[in-house]
Amino acid sequence: MTTLILTVAGADRPGLVAAVADVVDAHGGNWENSQLAELAGTFAGVIEVSVATERATELEAALRGLQGQGMLTVAVLTGSEATAATDGERLTIQVLGNDHPGIVREVSVALNAHELSIDGLTTTTRDAAMSGGRLFEATVVARVPASVDLDRLRTDLERLAAEIQVDITLG
C-alpha cells in the first residue's frame, strides 16, 4: 500500500467531500484521516488516503480530474514526501490576546527556534465583550523532541507573551 496526502481547496458548495470520496473509492483507496473545514466561503482540507501501489498513479490522475471539472484544486504528496515526524511528546499551547498582525508569525518562529513541529494550529478572532476590540485565540498542538529544554521553552514563551502582549499557556 501507498499513502497519499491530498490537499484540497475550492469554493464551498454541497458535494465536494462526496466527490473526493467517490474518486478515492472508485480507485480502491481507503480514506484514513482528514481535517476539513469551511472558512470565509472556501472549503479546504488535508486527507490521508491509502491505496494499492499499482493504483496510486491512476488515483492521482482521477483526483486531479476534479480540478479540471472546476470543483477543487487538488495537490497530492506521495511516499516519502508524505512521511511526518512522529518522535517526541505533544504539547498544547493556548494563545489569547488583543488581535494584531504578527501573532502567528512570532509564536511559530519561537516554536521553530526550539525545533518544535506544529501538528495542529487553530485560530479565531472574535469581538471582545468589554473593550470593543478584537480578540485573537489560538490553540497549537506541537511535537516536542526529547532534546528540548522545556524550562527554556517556557521562559522564551513567557518573554514573547510579554513582548507581543498576549497570554500564552502551556498545557
Side-chain angles (χ1 to χ4, degrees):
M1 296 296 277
T2 296
T3 298
L4 302 179
I5 303 297
L6 319 175
T7 57
V8 297
D12 190 36
R13 63 181 183 201
L16 295 178
V17 173
V20 175
D22 284 346
V23 170
V24 169
D25 184 62
H27 293 84
N30 184 40
W31 187 301
E32 305 233 356
N33 297 296
S34 61
Q35 294 285 321
L36 308 170
E38 180 277 332
L39 185 64
T42 298
F43 171 79
V46 180
I47 306 161
E48 177 186 4
V49 172
S50 62
V51 64
T53 303
E54 62 274 8
R55 297 198 69 190
T57 302
E58 176 187 318
L59 174 56
E60 284 185 58
L63 288 164
R64 288 194 173 97
L66 295 174
Q67 185 167 318
Q69 297 170 20
M71 294 186 77
L72 290 167
T73 299
V74 179
V76 181
L77 296 175
T78 62
S80 62
E81 296 174 308
T83 303
T86 57
D87 293 339
E89 59 183 83
R90 290 179 133 190
L91 177 67
T92 300
I93 302 160
Q94 301 287 333
V95 180
L96 176 65
N98 290 325
D99 186 34
H100 58 83
I103 296 172
V104 172
R105 178 180 43 85
E106 292 294 336
V107 171
S108 63
V109 165
L111 297 178
N112 184 52
H114 289 273
E115 299 181 356
L116 274 68
S117 177
I118 296 174
D119 286 351
L121 170 64
T122 304
T123 65
T124 188
T125 57
R126 60 182 166 87
D127 290 332
M130 302 300 272
S131 68
R134 301 281 295 164
L135 285 178
F136 174 85
E137 292 181 79
T139 300
V140 181
V141 178
R143 190 154 314 270
V144 183
S147 61
V148 169
D149 179 343
L150 288 175
D151 289 333
R152 186 169 157 237
L153 171 64
R154 186 177 311 277
T155 299
D156 287 352
L157 289 175
E158 287 171 357
R159 179 190 44 75
L160 175 63
E163 285 176 13
I164 64 174
Q165 299 178 346
V166 298
D167 293 325
I168 298 179
T169 307
L170 301 177

